[in-house]
PDB file of all heavy atoms in Angstrom:
ATOM      1  N   ASN A   1      -4.632 -17.743  -3.759  1.00  0.00           N
ATOM      2  CA  ASN A   1      -3.842 -18.213  -2.615  1.00  0.00           C
ATOM      3  C   ASN A   1      -3.230 -17.039  -1.809  1.00  0.00           C
ATOM      4  O   ASN A   1      -2.017 -16.894  -1.630  1.00  0.00           O
ATOM      5  CB  ASN A   1      -2.695 -19.172  -3.082  1.00  0.00           C
ATOM      6  CG  ASN A   1      -2.233 -20.035  -1.856  1.00  0.00           C
ATOM      7  OD1 ASN A   1      -2.535 -19.725  -0.746  1.00  0.00           O
ATOM      8  ND2 ASN A   1      -1.546 -21.099  -2.221  1.00  0.00           N
ATOM      9  N   LYS A   2      -4.124 -16.258  -1.264  1.00  0.00           N
ATOM     10  CA  LYS A   2      -3.720 -15.060  -0.516  1.00  0.00           C
ATOM     11  C   LYS A   2      -2.860 -15.476   0.769  1.00  0.00           C
ATOM     12  O   LYS A   2      -1.937 -14.784   1.139  1.00  0.00           O
ATOM     13  CB  LYS A   2      -4.929 -14.225  -0.022  1.00  0.00           C
ATOM     14  CG  LYS A   2      -5.637 -13.663  -1.134  1.00  0.00           C
ATOM     15  CD  LYS A   2      -6.849 -12.856  -0.679  1.00  0.00           C
ATOM     16  CE  LYS A   2      -7.568 -12.197  -1.841  1.00  0.00           C
ATOM     17  NZ  LYS A   2      -8.658 -11.342  -1.457  1.00  0.00           N
ATOM     18  N   TRP A   3      -3.224 -16.583   1.329  1.00  0.00           N
ATOM     19  CA  TRP A   3      -2.490 -17.010   2.578  1.00  0.00           C
ATOM     20  C   TRP A   3      -1.010 -17.175   2.271  1.00  0.00           C
ATOM     21  O   TRP A   3      -0.142 -16.759   2.962  1.00  0.00           O
ATOM     22  CB  TRP A   3      -3.116 -18.351   3.020  1.00  0.00           C
ATOM     23  CG  TRP A   3      -2.302 -18.828   4.194  1.00  0.00           C
ATOM     24  CD1 TRP A   3      -2.485 -18.580   5.537  1.00  0.00           C
ATOM     25  CD2 TRP A   3      -1.171 -19.700   4.164  1.00  0.00           C
ATOM     26  NE1 TRP A   3      -1.608 -19.178   6.322  1.00  0.00           N
ATOM     27  CE2 TRP A   3      -0.645 -19.889   5.539  1.00  0.00           C
ATOM     28  CE3 TRP A   3      -0.447 -20.353   3.189  1.00  0.00           C
ATOM     29  CZ2 TRP A   3       0.409 -20.656   5.825  1.00  0.00           C
ATOM     30  CZ3 TRP A   3       0.687 -21.068   3.443  1.00  0.00           C
ATOM     31  CH2 TRP A   3       1.054 -21.287   4.761  1.00  0.00           C
ATOM     32  N   PHE A   4      -0.667 -17.800   1.023  1.00  0.00           N
ATOM     33  CA  PHE A   4       0.681 -18.027   0.674  1.00  0.00           C
ATOM     34  C   PHE A   4       1.398 -16.666   0.576  1.00  0.00           C
ATOM     35  O   PHE A   4       2.521 -16.583   1.161  1.00  0.00           O
ATOM     36  CB  PHE A   4       0.760 -18.732  -0.644  1.00  0.00           C
ATOM     37  CG  PHE A   4       2.169 -18.807  -1.252  1.00  0.00           C
ATOM     38  CD1 PHE A   4       3.088 -19.689  -0.764  1.00  0.00           C
ATOM     39  CD2 PHE A   4       2.593 -17.870  -2.149  1.00  0.00           C
ATOM     40  CE1 PHE A   4       4.377 -19.730  -1.190  1.00  0.00           C
ATOM     41  CE2 PHE A   4       3.866 -17.924  -2.657  1.00  0.00           C
ATOM     42  CZ  PHE A   4       4.794 -18.872  -2.204  1.00  0.00           C
ATOM     43  N   PHE A   5       0.860 -15.672  -0.056  1.00  0.00           N
ATOM     44  CA  PHE A   5       1.517 -14.404  -0.172  1.00  0.00           C
ATOM     45  C   PHE A   5       1.693 -13.703   1.150  1.00  0.00           C
ATOM     46  O   PHE A   5       2.807 -13.157   1.447  1.00  0.00           O
ATOM     47  CB  PHE A   5       0.752 -13.462  -1.147  1.00  0.00           C
ATOM     48  CG  PHE A   5       1.107 -13.673  -2.600  1.00  0.00           C
ATOM     49  CD1 PHE A   5       0.425 -14.647  -3.242  1.00  0.00           C
ATOM     50  CD2 PHE A   5       2.064 -12.978  -3.110  1.00  0.00           C
ATOM     51  CE1 PHE A   5       0.670 -14.823  -4.621  1.00  0.00           C
ATOM     52  CE2 PHE A   5       2.476 -13.222  -4.488  1.00  0.00           C
ATOM     53  CZ  PHE A   5       1.735 -14.139  -5.175  1.00  0.00           C
ATOM     54  N   LYS A   6       0.665 -13.786   1.933  1.00  0.00           N
ATOM     55  CA  LYS A   6       0.772 -13.201   3.336  1.00  0.00           C
ATOM     56  C   LYS A   6       1.862 -13.850   4.125  1.00  0.00           C
ATOM     57  O   LYS A   6       2.656 -13.210   4.834  1.00  0.00           O
ATOM     58  CB  LYS A   6      -0.544 -13.229   4.077  1.00  0.00           C
ATOM     59  CG  LYS A   6      -1.496 -12.215   3.465  1.00  0.00           C
ATOM     60  CD  LYS A   6      -2.826 -12.186   4.252  1.00  0.00           C
ATOM     61  CE  LYS A   6      -3.733 -11.086   3.661  1.00  0.00           C
ATOM     62  NZ  LYS A   6      -4.936 -10.971   4.375  1.00  0.00           N
ATOM     63  N   HIS A   7       1.927 -15.190   4.040  1.00  0.00           N
ATOM     64  CA  HIS A   7       2.916 -15.934   4.728  1.00  0.00           C
ATOM     65  C   HIS A   7       4.320 -15.747   4.230  1.00  0.00           C
ATOM     66  O   HIS A   7       5.273 -15.433   4.939  1.00  0.00           O
ATOM     67  CB  HIS A   7       2.544 -17.425   4.812  1.00  0.00           C
ATOM     68  CG  HIS A   7       3.620 -18.264   5.418  1.00  0.00           C
ATOM     69  ND1 HIS A   7       3.700 -18.303   6.847  1.00  0.00           N
ATOM     70  CD2 HIS A   7       4.488 -19.128   5.010  1.00  0.00           C
ATOM     71  CE1 HIS A   7       4.645 -19.110   7.181  1.00  0.00           C
ATOM     72  NE2 HIS A   7       5.173 -19.598   6.098  1.00  0.00           N
ATOM     73  N   ALA A   8       4.473 -15.861   2.912  1.00  0.00           N
ATOM     74  CA  ALA A   8       5.737 -15.739   2.261  1.00  0.00           C
ATOM     75  C   ALA A   8       6.311 -14.336   2.471  1.00  0.00           C
ATOM     76  O   ALA A   8       7.559 -14.190   2.524  1.00  0.00           O
ATOM     77  CB  ALA A   8       5.623 -16.151   0.743  1.00  0.00           C
ATOM     78  N   LEU A   9       5.486 -13.335   2.465  1.00  0.00           N
ATOM     79  CA  LEU A   9       5.927 -11.966   2.578  1.00  0.00           C
ATOM     80  C   LEU A   9       5.634 -11.354   3.991  1.00  0.00           C
ATOM     81  O   LEU A   9       5.473 -10.242   4.090  1.00  0.00           O
ATOM     82  CB  LEU A   9       5.335 -11.185   1.436  1.00  0.00           C
ATOM     83  CG  LEU A   9       5.608 -11.581   0.038  1.00  0.00           C
ATOM     84  CD1 LEU A   9       4.752 -10.843  -0.972  1.00  0.00           C
ATOM     85  CD2 LEU A   9       7.036 -11.452  -0.273  1.00  0.00           C
ATOM     86  N   ARG A  10       5.603 -12.183   4.929  1.00  0.00           N
ATOM     87  CA  ARG A  10       5.248 -11.740   6.346  1.00  0.00           C
ATOM     88  C   ARG A  10       6.182 -10.659   6.814  1.00  0.00           C
ATOM     89  O   ARG A  10       5.850  -9.823   7.654  1.00  0.00           O
ATOM     90  CB  ARG A  10       5.049 -12.919   7.241  1.00  0.00           C
ATOM     91  CG  ARG A  10       6.340 -13.654   7.621  1.00  0.00           C
ATOM     92  CD  ARG A  10       6.103 -14.908   8.437  1.00  0.00           C
ATOM     93  NE  ARG A  10       7.246 -15.727   8.588  1.00  0.00           N
ATOM     94  CZ  ARG A  10       7.670 -16.607   7.627  1.00  0.00           C
ATOM     95  NH1 ARG A  10       6.947 -16.751   6.508  1.00  0.00           N
ATOM     96  NH2 ARG A  10       8.716 -17.341   7.808  1.00  0.00           N
ATOM     97  N   LYS A  11       7.411 -10.715   6.362  1.00  0.00           N
ATOM     98  CA  LYS A  11       8.453  -9.636   6.781  1.00  0.00           C
ATOM     99  C   LYS A  11       8.192  -8.315   6.095  1.00  0.00           C
ATOM    100  O   LYS A  11       8.803  -7.341   6.499  1.00  0.00           O
ATOM    101  CB  LYS A  11       9.813 -10.180   6.617  1.00  0.00           C
ATOM    102  CG  LYS A  11      10.108 -11.332   7.612  1.00  0.00           C
ATOM    103  CD  LYS A  11      11.527 -11.735   7.419  1.00  0.00           C
ATOM    104  CE  LYS A  11      11.875 -12.937   8.373  1.00  0.00           C
ATOM    105  NZ  LYS A  11      13.249 -13.402   8.234  1.00  0.00           N
ATOM    106  N   THR A  12       7.465  -8.399   5.049  1.00  0.00           N
ATOM    107  CA  THR A  12       7.150  -7.161   4.246  1.00  0.00           C
ATOM    108  C   THR A  12       5.627  -7.102   3.954  1.00  0.00           C
ATOM    109  O   THR A  12       5.194  -7.271   2.807  1.00  0.00           O
ATOM    110  CB  THR A  12       7.944  -7.175   2.898  1.00  0.00           C
ATOM    111  OG1 THR A  12       7.644  -8.371   2.170  1.00  0.00           O
ATOM    112  CG2 THR A  12       9.422  -6.999   3.140  1.00  0.00           C
ATOM    113  N   PRO A  13       4.913  -6.925   4.989  1.00  0.00           N
ATOM    114  CA  PRO A  13       3.477  -6.924   4.857  1.00  0.00           C
ATOM    115  C   PRO A  13       2.850  -5.888   3.874  1.00  0.00           C
ATOM    116  O   PRO A  13       1.839  -6.091   3.253  1.00  0.00           O
ATOM    117  CB  PRO A  13       2.906  -6.701   6.285  1.00  0.00           C
ATOM    118  CG  PRO A  13       4.017  -6.029   7.045  1.00  0.00           C
ATOM    119  CD  PRO A  13       5.332  -6.618   6.441  1.00  0.00           C
ATOM    120  N   ARG A  14       3.548  -4.672   3.806  1.00  0.00           N
ATOM    121  CA  ARG A  14       3.019  -3.690   2.855  1.00  0.00           C
ATOM    122  C   ARG A  14       3.176  -4.200   1.383  1.00  0.00           C
ATOM    123  O   ARG A  14       2.440  -3.896   0.487  1.00  0.00           O
ATOM    124  CB  ARG A  14       3.773  -2.353   3.072  1.00  0.00           C
ATOM    125  CG  ARG A  14       3.304  -1.838   4.392  1.00  0.00           C
ATOM    126  CD  ARG A  14       3.948  -0.581   4.825  1.00  0.00           C
ATOM    127  NE  ARG A  14       4.132   0.472   3.749  1.00  0.00           N
ATOM    128  CZ  ARG A  14       4.993   1.483   3.850  1.00  0.00           C
ATOM    129  NH1 ARG A  14       5.645   1.701   4.966  1.00  0.00           N
ATOM    130  NH2 ARG A  14       5.035   2.362   2.903  1.00  0.00           N
ATOM    131  N   LEU A  15       4.336  -4.921   1.115  1.00  0.00           N
ATOM    132  CA  LEU A  15       4.463  -5.518  -0.206  1.00  0.00           C
ATOM    133  C   LEU A  15       3.417  -6.553  -0.494  1.00  0.00           C
ATOM    134  O   LEU A  15       2.802  -6.574  -1.563  1.00  0.00           O
ATOM    135  CB  LEU A  15       5.860  -6.235  -0.309  1.00  0.00           C
ATOM    136  CG  LEU A  15       6.150  -6.977  -1.603  1.00  0.00           C
ATOM    137  CD1 LEU A  15       5.894  -6.130  -2.870  1.00  0.00           C
ATOM    138  CD2 LEU A  15       7.519  -7.592  -1.593  1.00  0.00           C
ATOM    139  N   ALA A  16       3.159  -7.394   0.555  1.00  0.00           N
ATOM    140  CA  ALA A  16       2.084  -8.462   0.324  1.00  0.00           C
ATOM    141  C   ALA A  16       0.807  -7.731   0.045  1.00  0.00           C
ATOM    142  O   ALA A  16       0.040  -8.162  -0.842  1.00  0.00           O
ATOM    143  CB  ALA A  16       1.927  -9.218   1.637  1.00  0.00           C
ATOM    144  N   GLU A  17       0.355  -6.719   0.831  1.00  0.00           N
ATOM    145  CA  GLU A  17      -0.903  -6.037   0.615  1.00  0.00           C
ATOM    146  C   GLU A  17      -0.870  -5.397  -0.811  1.00  0.00           C
ATOM    147  O   GLU A  17      -1.940  -5.423  -1.436  1.00  0.00           O
ATOM    148  CB  GLU A  17      -1.111  -5.016   1.738  1.00  0.00           C
ATOM    149  CG  GLU A  17      -2.461  -4.321   1.639  1.00  0.00           C
ATOM    150  CD  GLU A  17      -3.581  -5.293   1.534  1.00  0.00           C
ATOM    151  OE1 GLU A  17      -3.646  -6.303   2.252  1.00  0.00           O
ATOM    152  OE2 GLU A  17      -4.543  -5.028   0.746  1.00  0.00           O
ATOM    153  N   ALA A  18       0.153  -4.752  -1.200  1.00  0.00           N
ATOM    154  CA  ALA A  18       0.313  -4.135  -2.530  1.00  0.00           C
ATOM    155  C   ALA A  18       0.052  -5.211  -3.640  1.00  0.00           C
ATOM    156  O   ALA A  18      -0.703  -4.941  -4.610  1.00  0.00           O
ATOM    157  CB  ALA A  18       1.620  -3.420  -2.688  1.00  0.00           C
ATOM    158  N   LEU A  19       0.585  -6.371  -3.496  1.00  0.00           N
ATOM    159  CA  LEU A  19       0.419  -7.439  -4.474  1.00  0.00           C
ATOM    160  C   LEU A  19      -1.016  -7.975  -4.445  1.00  0.00           C
ATOM    161  O   LEU A  19      -1.578  -8.193  -5.491  1.00  0.00           O
ATOM    162  CB  LEU A  19       1.407  -8.597  -4.194  1.00  0.00           C
ATOM    163  CG  LEU A  19       2.853  -8.287  -4.592  1.00  0.00           C
ATOM    164  CD1 LEU A  19       3.800  -9.342  -4.069  1.00  0.00           C
ATOM    165  CD2 LEU A  19       3.003  -8.093  -6.092  1.00  0.00           C
ATOM    166  N   LEU A  20      -1.559  -8.049  -3.310  1.00  0.00           N
ATOM    167  CA  LEU A  20      -2.973  -8.624  -3.125  1.00  0.00           C
ATOM    168  C   LEU A  20      -3.979  -7.701  -3.614  1.00  0.00           C
ATOM    169  O   LEU A  20      -5.026  -8.060  -4.027  1.00  0.00           O
ATOM    170  CB  LEU A  20      -3.156  -9.132  -1.689  1.00  0.00           C
ATOM    171  CG  LEU A  20      -2.335 -10.294  -1.322  1.00  0.00           C
ATOM    172  CD1 LEU A  20      -2.466 -10.536   0.178  1.00  0.00           C
ATOM    173  CD2 LEU A  20      -2.688 -11.573  -2.077  1.00  0.00           C
ATOM    174  N   SER A  21      -3.697  -6.403  -3.511  1.00  0.00           N
ATOM    175  CA  SER A  21      -4.772  -5.405  -3.986  1.00  0.00           C
ATOM    176  C   SER A  21      -4.357  -4.813  -5.351  1.00  0.00           C
ATOM    177  O   SER A  21      -5.142  -3.934  -5.753  1.00  0.00           O
ATOM    178  CB  SER A  21      -4.867  -4.307  -2.917  1.00  0.00           C
ATOM    179  OG  SER A  21      -3.648  -3.634  -2.770  1.00  0.00           O
ATOM    180  N   ARG A  22      -3.353  -5.261  -5.967  1.00  0.00           N
ATOM    181  CA  ARG A  22      -2.881  -4.662  -7.201  1.00  0.00           C
ATOM    182  C   ARG A  22      -4.011  -4.699  -8.250  1.00  0.00           C
ATOM    183  O   ARG A  22      -4.189  -3.668  -8.991  1.00  0.00           O
ATOM    184  CB  ARG A  22      -1.659  -5.376  -7.653  1.00  0.00           C
ATOM    185  CG  ARG A  22      -1.065  -4.845  -8.917  1.00  0.00           C
ATOM    186  CD  ARG A  22       0.278  -5.599  -9.240  1.00  0.00           C
ATOM    187  NE  ARG A  22       0.741  -5.172 -10.483  1.00  0.00           N
ATOM    188  CZ  ARG A  22       0.982  -5.907 -11.491  1.00  0.00           C
ATOM    189  NH1 ARG A  22       0.773  -7.183 -11.439  1.00  0.00           N
ATOM    190  NH2 ARG A  22       1.394  -5.544 -12.675  1.00  0.00           N
ATOM    191  N   HIS A  23      -4.682  -5.730  -8.356  1.00  0.00           N
ATOM    192  CA  HIS A  23      -5.854  -5.776  -9.348  1.00  0.00           C
ATOM    193  C   HIS A  23      -6.865  -4.692  -9.195  1.00  0.00           C
ATOM    194  O   HIS A  23      -7.378  -4.215 -10.157  1.00  0.00           O
ATOM    195  CB  HIS A  23      -6.470  -7.165  -9.261  1.00  0.00           C
ATOM    196  CG  HIS A  23      -7.224  -7.466  -8.160  1.00  0.00           C
ATOM    197  ND1 HIS A  23      -6.668  -7.769  -6.881  1.00  0.00           N
ATOM    198  CD2 HIS A  23      -8.608  -7.462  -7.851  1.00  0.00           C
ATOM    199  CE1 HIS A  23      -7.632  -7.909  -6.003  1.00  0.00           C
ATOM    200  NE2 HIS A  23      -8.738  -7.814  -6.612  1.00  0.00           N
ATOM    201  N   GLU A  24      -7.134  -4.352  -7.922  1.00  0.00           N
ATOM    202  CA  GLU A  24      -8.159  -3.362  -7.714  1.00  0.00           C
ATOM    203  C   GLU A  24      -7.806  -1.988  -8.226  1.00  0.00           C
ATOM    204  O   GLU A  24      -8.492  -1.237  -8.915  1.00  0.00           O
ATOM    205  CB  GLU A  24      -8.469  -3.235  -6.179  1.00  0.00           C
ATOM    206  CG  GLU A  24      -9.042  -4.437  -5.615  1.00  0.00           C
ATOM    207  CD  GLU A  24      -9.077  -4.461  -4.135  1.00  0.00           C
ATOM    208  OE1 GLU A  24      -8.614  -3.555  -3.502  1.00  0.00           O
ATOM    209  OE2 GLU A  24      -9.604  -5.539  -3.530  1.00  0.00           O
ATOM    210  N   HIS A  25      -6.502  -1.608  -7.923  1.00  0.00           N
ATOM    211  CA  HIS A  25      -5.970  -0.356  -8.470  1.00  0.00           C
ATOM    212  C   HIS A  25      -5.846  -0.283  -9.844  1.00  0.00           C
ATOM    213  O   HIS A  25      -6.205   0.683 -10.616  1.00  0.00           O
ATOM    214  CB  HIS A  25      -4.621  -0.064  -7.742  1.00  0.00           C
ATOM    215  CG  HIS A  25      -3.966   1.205  -8.212  1.00  0.00           C
ATOM    216  ND1 HIS A  25      -4.454   2.492  -7.868  1.00  0.00           N
ATOM    217  CD2 HIS A  25      -2.888   1.447  -9.041  1.00  0.00           C
ATOM    218  CE1 HIS A  25      -3.720   3.383  -8.432  1.00  0.00           C
ATOM    219  NE2 HIS A  25      -2.740   2.795  -9.176  1.00  0.00           N
ATOM    220  N   TYR A  26      -5.374  -1.461 -10.429  1.00  0.00           N
ATOM    221  CA  TYR A  26      -5.237  -1.565 -11.910  1.00  0.00           C
ATOM    222  C   TYR A  26      -6.518  -1.412 -12.600  1.00  0.00           C
ATOM    223  O   TYR A  26      -6.715  -0.647 -13.579  1.00  0.00           O
ATOM    224  CB  TYR A  26      -4.568  -2.889 -12.190  1.00  0.00           C
ATOM    225  CG  TYR A  26      -4.230  -3.211 -13.626  1.00  0.00           C
ATOM    226  CD1 TYR A  26      -2.984  -2.904 -14.184  1.00  0.00           C
ATOM    227  CD2 TYR A  26      -5.157  -3.876 -14.439  1.00  0.00           C
ATOM    228  CE1 TYR A  26      -2.659  -3.151 -15.464  1.00  0.00           C
ATOM    229  CE2 TYR A  26      -4.807  -4.115 -15.861  1.00  0.00           C
ATOM    230  CZ  TYR A  26      -3.605  -3.785 -16.308  1.00  0.00           C
ATOM    231  OH  TYR A  26      -3.274  -4.047 -17.553  1.00  0.00           O
ATOM    232  N   ASN A  27      -7.602  -2.096 -12.148  1.00  0.00           N
ATOM    233  CA  ASN A  27      -8.899  -2.088 -12.692  1.00  0.00           C
ATOM    234  C   ASN A  27      -9.525  -0.668 -12.634  1.00  0.00           C
ATOM    235  O   ASN A  27     -10.160  -0.234 -13.568  1.00  0.00           O
ATOM    236  CB  ASN A  27      -9.734  -3.233 -12.235  1.00  0.00           C
ATOM    237  CG  ASN A  27      -9.258  -4.497 -12.598  1.00  0.00           C
ATOM    238  OD1 ASN A  27      -8.494  -4.715 -13.511  1.00  0.00           O
ATOM    239  ND2 ASN A  27      -9.644  -5.584 -11.887  1.00  0.00           N
ATOM    240  N   ARG A  28      -9.350  -0.029 -11.536  1.00  0.00           N
ATOM    241  CA  ARG A  28      -9.850   1.301 -11.354  1.00  0.00           C
ATOM    242  C   ARG A  28      -9.243   2.332 -12.319  1.00  0.00           C
ATOM    243  O   ARG A  28      -9.765   3.168 -12.925  1.00  0.00           O
ATOM    244  CB  ARG A  28      -9.623   1.811  -9.925  1.00  0.00           C
ATOM    245  CG  ARG A  28     -10.714   1.397  -8.939  1.00  0.00           C
ATOM    246  CD  ARG A  28     -10.644   2.245  -7.573  1.00  0.00           C
ATOM    247  NE  ARG A  28      -9.284   2.260  -7.013  1.00  0.00           N
ATOM    248  CZ  ARG A  28      -8.838   1.310  -6.148  1.00  0.00           C
ATOM    249  NH1 ARG A  28      -9.600   0.342  -5.796  1.00  0.00           N
ATOM    250  NH2 ARG A  28      -7.630   1.446  -5.600  1.00  0.00           N
ATOM    251  N   THR A  29      -7.942   2.081 -12.538  1.00  0.00           N
ATOM    252  CA  THR A  29      -7.189   2.904 -13.488  1.00  0.00           C
ATOM    253  C   THR A  29      -7.702   2.665 -14.877  1.00  0.00           C
ATOM    254  O   THR A  29      -7.850   3.562 -15.645  1.00  0.00           O
ATOM    255  CB  THR A  29      -5.681   2.624 -13.428  1.00  0.00           C
ATOM    256  OG1 THR A  29      -5.157   2.879 -12.061  1.00  0.00           O
ATOM    257  CG2 THR A  29      -4.856   3.494 -14.334  1.00  0.00           C
ATOM    258  N   LEU A  30      -7.992   1.438 -15.247  1.00  0.00           N
ATOM    259  CA  LEU A  30      -8.491   1.078 -16.543  1.00  0.00           C
ATOM    260  C   LEU A  30      -9.873   1.729 -16.777  1.00  0.00           C
ATOM    261  O   LEU A  30     -10.165   2.309 -17.863  1.00  0.00           O
ATOM    262  CB  LEU A  30      -8.641  -0.421 -16.798  1.00  0.00           C
ATOM    263  CG  LEU A  30      -7.261  -1.115 -17.101  1.00  0.00           C
ATOM    264  CD1 LEU A  30      -7.514  -2.601 -17.098  1.00  0.00           C
ATOM    265  CD2 LEU A  30      -6.626  -0.599 -18.239  1.00  0.00           C
ATOM    266  N   ASP A  31     -10.700   1.730 -15.714  1.00  0.00           N
ATOM    267  CA  ASP A  31     -12.027   2.402 -15.693  1.00  0.00           C
ATOM    268  C   ASP A  31     -11.805   3.883 -16.018  1.00  0.00           C
ATOM    269  O   ASP A  31     -12.551   4.490 -16.796  1.00  0.00           O
ATOM    270  CB  ASP A  31     -12.805   2.250 -14.443  1.00  0.00           C
ATOM    271  CG  ASP A  31     -13.224   0.743 -14.221  1.00  0.00           C
ATOM    272  OD1 ASP A  31     -13.257   0.007 -15.207  1.00  0.00           O
ATOM    273  OD2 ASP A  31     -13.547   0.461 -13.048  1.00  0.00           O
ATOM    274  N   GLU A  32     -10.950   4.587 -15.298  1.00  0.00           N
ATOM    275  CA  GLU A  32     -10.618   5.938 -15.515  1.00  0.00           C
ATOM    276  C   GLU A  32     -10.126   6.218 -16.927  1.00  0.00           C
ATOM    277  O   GLU A  32     -10.497   7.250 -17.547  1.00  0.00           O
ATOM    278  CB  GLU A  32      -9.598   6.450 -14.512  1.00  0.00           C
ATOM    279  CG  GLU A  32      -9.341   7.900 -14.576  1.00  0.00           C
ATOM    280  CD  GLU A  32     -10.486   8.813 -14.269  1.00  0.00           C
ATOM    281  OE1 GLU A  32     -11.425   8.404 -13.649  1.00  0.00           O
ATOM    282  OE2 GLU A  32     -10.500   9.974 -14.778  1.00  0.00           O
ATOM    283  N   ILE A  33      -9.295   5.438 -17.426  1.00  0.00           N
ATOM    284  CA  ILE A  33      -8.738   5.555 -18.768  1.00  0.00           C
ATOM    285  C   ILE A  33      -9.808   5.500 -19.794  1.00  0.00           C
ATOM    286  O   ILE A  33      -9.919   6.341 -20.724  1.00  0.00           O
ATOM    287  CB  ILE A  33      -7.742   4.470 -19.091  1.00  0.00           C
ATOM    288  CG1 ILE A  33      -6.394   4.705 -18.305  1.00  0.00           C
ATOM    289  CG2 ILE A  33      -7.370   4.358 -20.561  1.00  0.00           C
ATOM    290  CD1 ILE A  33      -5.428   3.531 -18.268  1.00  0.00           C
ATOM    291  N   GLU A  34     -10.817   4.506 -19.608  1.00  0.00           N
ATOM    292  CA  GLU A  34     -11.913   4.455 -20.618  1.00  0.00           C
ATOM    293  C   GLU A  34     -12.794   5.709 -20.529  1.00  0.00           C
ATOM    294  O   GLU A  34     -13.278   6.162 -21.549  1.00  0.00           O
ATOM    295  CB  GLU A  34     -12.640   3.146 -20.298  1.00  0.00           C
ATOM    296  CG  GLU A  34     -11.837   1.947 -20.778  1.00  0.00           C
ATOM    297  CD  GLU A  34     -12.577   0.553 -20.532  1.00  0.00           C
ATOM    298  OE1 GLU A  34     -13.715   0.602 -20.085  1.00  0.00           O
ATOM    299  OE2 GLU A  34     -11.833  -0.410 -20.826  1.00  0.00           O
ATOM    300  N   LYS A  35     -13.007   6.223 -19.342  1.00  0.00           N
ATOM    301  CA  LYS A  35     -13.805   7.480 -19.247  1.00  0.00           C
ATOM    302  C   LYS A  35     -13.106   8.635 -19.887  1.00  0.00           C
ATOM    303  O   LYS A  35     -13.686   9.388 -20.623  1.00  0.00           O
ATOM    304  CB  LYS A  35     -14.048   7.840 -17.748  1.00  0.00           C
ATOM    305  CG  LYS A  35     -15.026   6.905 -17.049  1.00  0.00           C
ATOM    306  CD  LYS A  35     -15.126   7.263 -15.540  1.00  0.00           C
ATOM    307  CE  LYS A  35     -15.894   6.208 -14.840  1.00  0.00           C
ATOM    308  NZ  LYS A  35     -15.883   6.447 -13.338  1.00  0.00           N
ATOM    309  N   LEU A  36     -11.783   8.812 -19.669  1.00  0.00           N
ATOM    310  CA  LEU A  36     -11.042   9.856 -20.316  1.00  0.00           C
ATOM    311  C   LEU A  36     -11.027   9.625 -21.843  1.00  0.00           C
ATOM    312  O   LEU A  36     -11.081  10.674 -22.617  1.00  0.00           O
ATOM    313  CB  LEU A  36      -9.569   9.846 -19.798  1.00  0.00           C
ATOM    314  CG  LEU A  36      -9.377  10.256 -18.373  1.00  0.00           C
ATOM    315  CD1 LEU A  36      -7.992  10.028 -17.912  1.00  0.00           C
ATOM    316  CD2 LEU A  36      -9.756  11.764 -18.208  1.00  0.00           C
ATOM    317  N   GLU A  37     -10.959   8.462 -22.295  1.00  0.00           N
ATOM    318  CA  GLU A  37     -10.935   8.123 -23.742  1.00  0.00           C
ATOM    319  C   GLU A  37     -12.237   8.501 -24.332  1.00  0.00           C
ATOM    320  O   GLU A  37     -12.263   9.145 -25.407  1.00  0.00           O
ATOM    321  CB  GLU A  37     -10.644   6.656 -23.883  1.00  0.00           C
ATOM    322  CG  GLU A  37     -10.212   6.253 -25.239  1.00  0.00           C
ATOM    323  CD  GLU A  37      -9.828   4.737 -25.294  1.00  0.00           C
ATOM    324  OE1 GLU A  37     -10.133   3.997 -24.398  1.00  0.00           O
ATOM    325  OE2 GLU A  37      -9.214   4.319 -26.362  1.00  0.00           O
TER     326      GLU A  37
END
C-alpha cells in the first residue's frame, strides 16, 4: 500500500521514501554481509 504511506506522510516525503525503499537498502546490506562472511 505505497499510496497510503505517500499520502499519510505527504508532509514528510523523504520519510515516506525512506520507508518505501527501506527493504532495498536492507537487502543490499544483507548481500554485502554474506559476501564479507
Side-chain angles (χ1 to χ4, degrees):
N1 202 344
K2 291 180 180 185
W3 177 88
F4 171 78
F5 275 91
K6 287 182 179 184
H7 179 73
L9 300 172
R10 66 187 171 278
K11 293 183 181 179
T12 52
R14 290 175 46 196
L15 172 58
E17 186 53 41
L19 288 169
L20 292 171
S21 64
R22 183 171 174 239
H23 69 286
E24 295 167 0
H25 178 70
Y26 185 89
N27 293 340
R28 277 195 306 272
T29 302
L30 288 175
D31 292 342
E32 181 64 22
I33 288 166
E34 289 179 5
K35 288 177 190 172
L36 291 169
E37 196 174 14

